[in-house]
Amino acid sequence: MKAILGILMLVLSGVLSAADDVPPWVLHGILGVETSSFYNPDGTVHFTNRKRGRHGELGPWQMTRNAFKEVRQKGDRFERLAREPAYAQRLVIRYLLWINAQVDGSWDRTVRAYNVGVAGSRKADRGSDYLNDVRAWARRVGALPAPN
């Protein structure tokens, strides 16, 4: 039993430390903008809109199949994104960290690239409305302070 608990804590610490690398406003904002979903007080995801996106996106963060392919690992299944919010969170964190590395560490550009792709985010105005929507949702749920 102690061995199982130790393994569980190791797995959870890896997920939590990765989540610590992604600013909360990014996770909260994209979650809200994509599916009007939110985090419960216990940290679980309340996934409100379980429909596929118009381009086949799945899960609380509406991950595309191409995004999934960038970060999938052995045993990952695209369809699980719609059924398991915790699984979807792990993959979206992986994907956001991957994007962030592609855009030189800018979280604003990471959010824009989540919407328009890494190449699309190179143009100054592409994805700006999406970024504003993500920031507004994050402020609404208290994950981002209001600007001064």
Side-chain angles (χ1 to χ4, degrees), residues 1-121:
M1 185 65 162
K2 283 185 180 182
I4 292 172
L5 287 174
I7 292 169
L8 180 60
M9 291 305 292
L10 183 62
V11 169
L12 285 175
S13 67
V15 170
L16 295 176
S17 66
D20 289 344
D21 293 340
V22 177
W25 71 267
V26 173
L27 288 171
H28 284 266
I30 294 173
L31 178 65
V33 168
E34 291 295 338
T35 59
S36 299
S37 299
F38 54 89
Y39 281 95
N40 292 314
D42 66 359
T44 60
V45 173
H46 179 81
F47 183 20
T48 57
N49 180 357
R50 294 182 181 267
K51 295 179 183 176
R52 270 188 190 263
R54 61 187 165 136
H55 301 291
E57 304 93 342
L58 280 180
W61 287 270
Q62 291 290 280
M63 184 176 268
T64 65
R65 191 170 290 277
N66 286 339
F68 174 80
K69 288 177 181 176
E70 286 294 342
V71 297
R72 74 177 173 205
Q73 295 176 349
K74 187 176 181 174
D76 285 338
R77 298 288 178 258
F78 184 68
E79 294 73 26
R80 284 181 60 195
L81 294 170
R83 295 187 312 270
E84 300 174 39
Y87 173 75
Q89 177 177 302
R90 286 193 304 274
L91 265 67
V92 82
I93 287 168
R94 254 190 252 160
Y95 185 57
L96 288 166
L97 292 171
W98 178 84
I99 293 172
N100 191 256
Q102 307 302 308
V103 299
D104 301 324
S106 164
W107 284 106
D108 283 356
R109 189 156 164 226
T110 298
V111 170
R112 289 180 27 240
Y114 188 84
N115 182 246
V116 299
V118 172
S121 72

Side-chain angles (χ1 to χ4, degrees), residues 108 111-113 115-116 120 123-132:
D108 283 356
V111 170
R112 289 180 27 240
N115 182 246
V116 299
K123 297 179 182 175
D125 61 336
R126 297 254 351 249
S128 295
D129 289 343
Y130 184 77
L131 173 62
N132 292 337

